[in-house]
Amino acid sequence: MRGGAAAVKSGSRPPWLGLGAAVWLQVTGGGSSTFALYSHALKVALGADQRRLALLGVACDVGENLGLLPGVLCNRLHPALLLLIGAGACLLGYGTAWLLVSGAAPALPYWLIWFALCLAANGGAWLATAVLVTNMRNFPLSRGAVAGILKGYSGLSAAVYTELYTGVLRDSPTNLLLLLTLGVPAICLLTMYFVRPCEPSLVETNAEHVHFMFAQMASVLLGVYLVGATVLDHVVTLNNIINYSLVAIMVLLLFAPLAIPLKMTLFPRRKSPSESSECSDNGHTEPLLPSSSESNLGNFEEYDSMDIDILLAEGEGAIKPKRRRPRRGEDFRFREAILKADFWLLFAIYFVGVGAGITVLNNLAQIGIAAGAVDTTISLSVFSFCNFFGRLGGGAVSEYLVRAKTLPRSVLIICTQVVMIITYLLFSLGQRATLYVSVALLGICYGVQFSVIISISSELFGLKHFGKIYNFIALANPVGAFLFNTLAGYVYDLEVERQKAGMVDTDIACHGPNCFRLTFYALSGAACLGTLLSTVLTVRVRPVYQMLYAGGSFSQPRSSAH
């Protein structure tokens, strides 16, 4: 047993308890996805135009993806400390926005609100880094499933908050911001003990597959329920008792993943010597994959006399050993990863795909109004559910592709980029009849890319410095969002001025397809570029996946070059 580790009662499984707690943190930390619900209130309180409002959406994107610092610290600090920092950021950030919208501090400047939203969204990045890195390491053989489940629940965050917004908070942006201010820190404090690094099991079992399947089905059930509850709320008028009952059922469904560790405790099974159920509280994690040097030392007798002399000289300090450059599939340092073309291909794909998708989400309220759909909650719920379905399905389908066909996960990105080309052209029509179909397709594609890129980066560059590497790639999201949101806001405001020419009406809303048509043409062109980049990446990494998944499961990196 390692220092600081404590024996765990027979039959319990802390990694699964941590995964259940991570579900709550992913849902809670996705508050930045609710920007469309309170964006109009911010616009009115600040007296801002669409360009300035779009930049507030970019602030959320910047904060949500500015995860380099938590990525660096995740190897040095216990996950509970990361969660505590994230909770503090959400308290300060959302609290400042609440002061403005509630009227308690009406004189707050625009730059302070921009910084506050960035800080609040960055709190979500601390939460996401803590739970994602910890659980990817706790389940190293099921990376696609773990990424799909956690990012899937994160994608449902907007739908969960929408249900609370309509059912309990009485459609009040002020109440929503107050919930984010106090609710996120409260959930962090309640769950931080359970998210901790554990000794990973390096043997795949049928029970583990069943448990992941249960978690996936539970999340699907929650997603279907949320869509049904949202539609029901708009079809019939619900009284307070029914509204609170719907929220209570939603909370019970969020507890579903905790049934796995409960079942393990009540009905323990005999563990093989290769399995472990110990958790470490000291934050130290050992390499999950043996390095090539370890495997080479196991074949010491194969060295000739010159190799032996060199090894002895290194041991005596006569010469300094030269570190061999890692191959794709092994653990890369951050400075080694950024020298690889695959790293920057992933960055560019993320820039085009996710950056463009978040632009639509940030402007969803105005896109709906332009198409004649005033109520944003239905569009947001549809996007949230399809985003969740894409994240969960992307993880599950990509697992099948790599295990059964040894195809790179990036094949899915090619498919989604092609669909996004068509989707943006549907958006450009500006018709209410095609709005929800377009939102649904975009949500699925957005979600697939989100979860698949996480798994690809961990497989190509390893898990040891995964937090730092992935969070740098994620910076492509706000960079893309800034570029595309600036374009969207500029085109929108030009159309508003054109529609107001010669009119006395001071309504600042834009109506008709011309409000975003040029923007969607540009996004469609960007998706064409993303298709090309994804194809290049797939061709490059195909041999890597054939090596990593030889025999249908994740294998150790080979000592031969590839």
Side-chain angles (χ1 to χ4, degrees), residues 225-427:
Y225 173 79
L226 289 171
V227 172
T230 302
V231 173
L232 180 65
D233 182 62
H234 287 80
V235 172
V236 297
T237 302
L238 304 177
N239 57 36
N240 289 336
I241 296 178
I242 297 178
N243 279 327
Y244 286 115
S245 298
L246 292 175
V247 171
I249 295 173
M250 178 188 73
V251 172
L252 289 176
L253 290 174
L254 283 170
F255 276 112
L258 294 176
I260 298 172
L262 179 62
K263 172 254 182 185
M264 288 179 156
T265 303
L266 297 178
F267 305 99
R269 67 181 182 87
R270 183 175 298 176
K271 294 173 290 186
S272 64
S274 60
E275 294 181 271
S276 174
S277 61
E278 297 178 355
C279 283
S280 169
D281 290 323
N282 59 6
H284 175 70
T285 57
E286 297 175 357
L288 300 180
L289 300 177
S291 65
S292 59
S293 60
E294 292 170 342
S295 61
N296 288 340
L297 290 176
N299 298 322
F300 187 79
E301 65 275 5
E302 297 181 5
Y303 287 100
D304 56 27
S305 59
M306 182 176 295
D307 293 328
I308 294 175
D309 291 339
I310 293 175
L311 287 173
L312 290 175
E314 290 177 357
E316 295 172 357
I319 63 174
K320 185 177 181 180
K322 183 178 181 181
R323 187 177 188 271
R324 182 184 62 83
R325 292 182 180 179
R327 299 185 301 271
R328 291 178 293 184
E330 298 179 346
D331 286 325
F332 278 71
R333 296 175 181 174
F334 177 71
R335 61 177 177 269
E336 294 169 335
I338 61 176
L339 298 178
K340 294 295 182 180
D342 296 335
F343 180 92
W344 293 106
L345 278 172
L346 281 173
F347 187 92
I349 293 168
Y350 209 87
F351 170 87
V352 172
V354 179
I358 201 68
T359 298
V360 178
L361 181 59
N362 288 343
N363 293 276
L364 195 57
Q366 289 72 35
I367 291 171
I369 292 173
V374 178
D375 195 341
T376 307
T377 56
I378 296 180
S379 296
L380 189 59
S381 292
V382 170
F383 181 91
S384 180
F385 173 72
C386 292
N387 179 23
F388 147 76
F389 184 78
R391 296 183 186 204
L392 183 67
V397 173
S398 66
E399 281 291 303
Y400 170 79
L401 290 177
V402 297
R403 293 177 183 272
K405 306 293 183 182
T406 62
L407 289 176
R409 299 181 195 269
S410 51
V411 169
L412 275 182
I413 300 182
I414 297 175
C415 298
T416 56
Q417 291 284 2
V418 172
V419 174
M420 289 174 82
I421 296 173
I422 302 172
T423 301
Y424 291 133
L425 293 178
L426 283 176
F427 267 117

Side-chain angles (χ1 to χ4, degrees), residues 525-550:
C528 292
L529 175 61
T531 305
L532 176 62
L533 295 174
S534 304
T535 303
V536 173
L537 178 67
T538 301
V539 173
R540 286 178 55 86
V541 302
R542 177 70 189 275
V544 182
Y545 276 84
Q546 290 176 335
M547 180 271 292
L548 290 179
Y549 287 92

Side-chain angles (χ1 to χ4, degrees), residues 79-323:
L81 294 177
L82 300 183
L83 296 178
L84 192 61
I85 295 172
C90 290
L91 178 65
L92 291 176
Y94 289 122
T96 303
W98 174 80
L99 288 174
L100 173 70
V101 173
S102 65
L108 294 179
Y110 175 86
W111 66 266
L112 181 60
I113 298 301
W114 193 98
F115 179 77
L117 292 179
C118 183
L119 180 64
N122 190 242
W126 285 85
L127 270 60
T129 299
V131 300
L132 185 61
V133 172
T134 302
N135 283 279
M136 291 279 278
R137 289 172 173 171
N138 288 348
F139 300 99
L141 302 183
S142 304
R143 306 179 191 194
V146 170
I149 291 170
L150 292 182
K151 285 303 178 182
Y153 273 103
S154 177
L156 282 177
S157 179
V160 170
Y161 279 117
T162 300
E163 177 62 25
L164 294 172
Y165 180 76
T166 58
V168 178
L169 304 179
R170 305 182 184 278
D171 296 332
S172 170
T174 303
N175 292 338
L176 175 61
L177 287 170
L178 182 60
L179 174 66
L180 292 170
T181 301
L182 302 179
V184 177
I187 295 296
C188 288
L189 293 175
L190 290 173
T191 59
M192 59 175 23
Y193 172 77
F194 304 105
V195 180
R196 47 184 174 150
C198 299
E199 292 286 352
S201 172
L202 298 179
V203 177
E204 293 180 309
T205 63
N206 290 331
E208 188 166 279
H209 288 301
V210 172
H211 293 155
F212 276 119
M213 183 65 69
F214 175 82
Q216 290 167 339
M217 294 305 297
S219 61
V220 170
L221 180 60
L222 174 62
V224 173
Y225 173 79
L226 289 171
V227 172
T230 302
V231 173
L232 180 65
D233 182 62
H234 287 80
V235 172
V236 297
T237 302
L238 304 177
N239 57 36
N240 289 336
I241 296 178
I242 297 178
N243 279 327
Y244 286 115
S245 298
L246 292 175
V247 171
I249 295 173
M250 178 188 73
V251 172
L252 289 176
L253 290 174
L254 283 170
F255 276 112
L258 294 176
I260 298 172
L262 179 62
K263 172 254 182 185
M264 288 179 156
T265 303
L266 297 178
F267 305 99
R269 67 181 182 87
R270 183 175 298 176
K271 294 173 290 186
S272 64
S274 60
E275 294 181 271
S276 174
S277 61
E278 297 178 355
C279 283
S280 169
D281 290 323
N282 59 6
H284 175 70
T285 57
E286 297 175 357
L288 300 180
L289 300 177
S291 65
S292 59
S293 60
E294 292 170 342
S295 61
N296 288 340
L297 290 176
N299 298 322
F300 187 79
E301 65 275 5
E302 297 181 5
Y303 287 100
D304 56 27
S305 59
M306 182 176 295
D307 293 328
I308 294 175
D309 291 339
I310 293 175
L311 287 173
L312 290 175
E314 290 177 357
E316 295 172 357
I319 63 174
K320 185 177 181 180
K322 183 178 181 181
R323 187 177 188 271

